[in-house]
Amino acid sequence: MTVPVFQEYEPAADCGCPGCGLRPGMDGAPSAAPDQRCRRALALVTAAGVVLGGAAAGQVSAAAAGPPPVPAPGAPVPGAPAPAAPAPAPGGPPSGVSASTVPPPGILPPGAPAPAPAPPPGVPRGTTRAEIIARAARWAAAEVPYSMRSFRPDGYRQDCSGYVSMAWNLPGNAGTGVLPRYATRIAREELLPGDILLFHDPASPTRGSHVTIFGGWADAAHTAYVAYEQAKPYTRKRITPMAYWNNSDRYVAYRYQGLTGPAGMGAAAAAAASGFWFGPGAYGAEITRLGELLVARGGKRFYASGPGPRWSEADRRATEAFQRAQGWRGRAADGYPGPETWRLLRTGAGRDIPPPAPAAELASVPAYPGPGHFRPGRSSAYVTLLGAQLVKRGHGRFYASGPGPRWSEADRRATEAFQRAQGWRGRAADGYPGPETWRRLFARTGEGLASPPSRL
């Protein structure tokens, strides 16, 4: 697995120039281009080198013409630099500059741009855990590209620490070396959604340092978690080993000091805010609670056992049935509970899951078993059933033998041909059967065509 490379802006350790120590958008940096003052200094040094080089050449020529005349005592030596001016008194103006032309401390010279105020450590803005996760999820949903030099319209930098600064609602961009000023160190066992896991390498702060936002545990043993992170190529959320793919033992857990409301988040609020707590690999008490609510609303038939704390296809199918009972279709009925699904279940509002259809109807259209059966390497009776029906519907030319129980490219191509026969194109005809493909495949021949829903 490829491990992403991370880079972070940090003040240069060997340069006191504001252009080096504070780069644009970071910790109160001015809006001027980075290293502008250093480039200006470099230009002055280069020009001085040219002048001195020319003077040296002149001295060589003079030496060839013979020794110069000896000047009178106290007279300046031709070609020699002027004597240095006396050093100013401590706190006084530079030599040759009138005290009246030097602005008092805190007053900028005329025409100079005002630097942006630095985020004041120890005075964090208030925010809730749900708000942190919601802000993090927006960047992940938008797949904001990773960049150390690009900024969002709200001023936050598009790298990992800028992402955390945005999610925590900081007043500016804080690098990985600055973020701990706004936080309290905690043990990994205490992590809750909205906390962070941070690795800062002071020996090489511009390469390798990284930070992720903790979104919840992915397993009961706490060996993996849902990580929100800004990394190449774009912001994402994914199941990540604790604490990261590399340098795992060097990551430190921190909690934002500006948290408001209860210290904890509550399973329901966290699930509704994150949109990721329900899905493959998820584990927790909130999944058990979801299943119990679905059973109470008519979803018992989807569970052979349980409900339990580990997310399963039974949870997804029962959730989908509840969503369809509300009249939702497409992505609104994908089997993954969002805030509105959870609200209806928790408050007892909305319509219950209807009882199963009569046996005759079930015999003609078997229940869709879920997308997990139709993936490379999977084997089940549902694959054989799908293939047999595809052959029956006139798409058997793709099978050299079979169909059989193991999903194959022949199954995918035959499914794609059936989907295209419905008039679907693009992602709607990708060869992987969804609920609508399954329903039409087992429906009566000659069913009228219609525009495909978003998930097929």
Side-chain angles (χ1 to χ4, degrees), residues 306-398:
R310 185 174 299 281
W311 177 264
S312 67
E313 180 62 16
D315 295 307
R316 195 203 64 77
R317 291 178 60 196
T319 303
E320 179 187 1
F322 178 78
Q323 291 167 332
R324 288 185 173 275
Q326 313 313 308
W328 305 343
R329 296 293 181 267
R331 294 185 64 181
D334 59 2
Y336 298 95
E340 183 61 14
T341 299
W342 187 265
R343 184 188 69 80
L344 294 177
L345 285 170
R346 181 174 52 84
T347 61
R351 292 185 288 272
D352 291 346
I353 300 172
E361 182 179 340
L362 288 177
S364 61
V365 183
Y368 176 63
H373 294 279
F374 310 109
R375 292 292 183 268
R378 297 303 301 271
S379 180
S380 73
Y382 293 110
V383 179
T384 304
L385 182 63
L386 172 79
Q389 191 67 8
L390 286 167
V391 171
K392 184 178 178 181
R393 298 298 293 268
H395 301 288
R397 66 185 183 276
F398 297 98

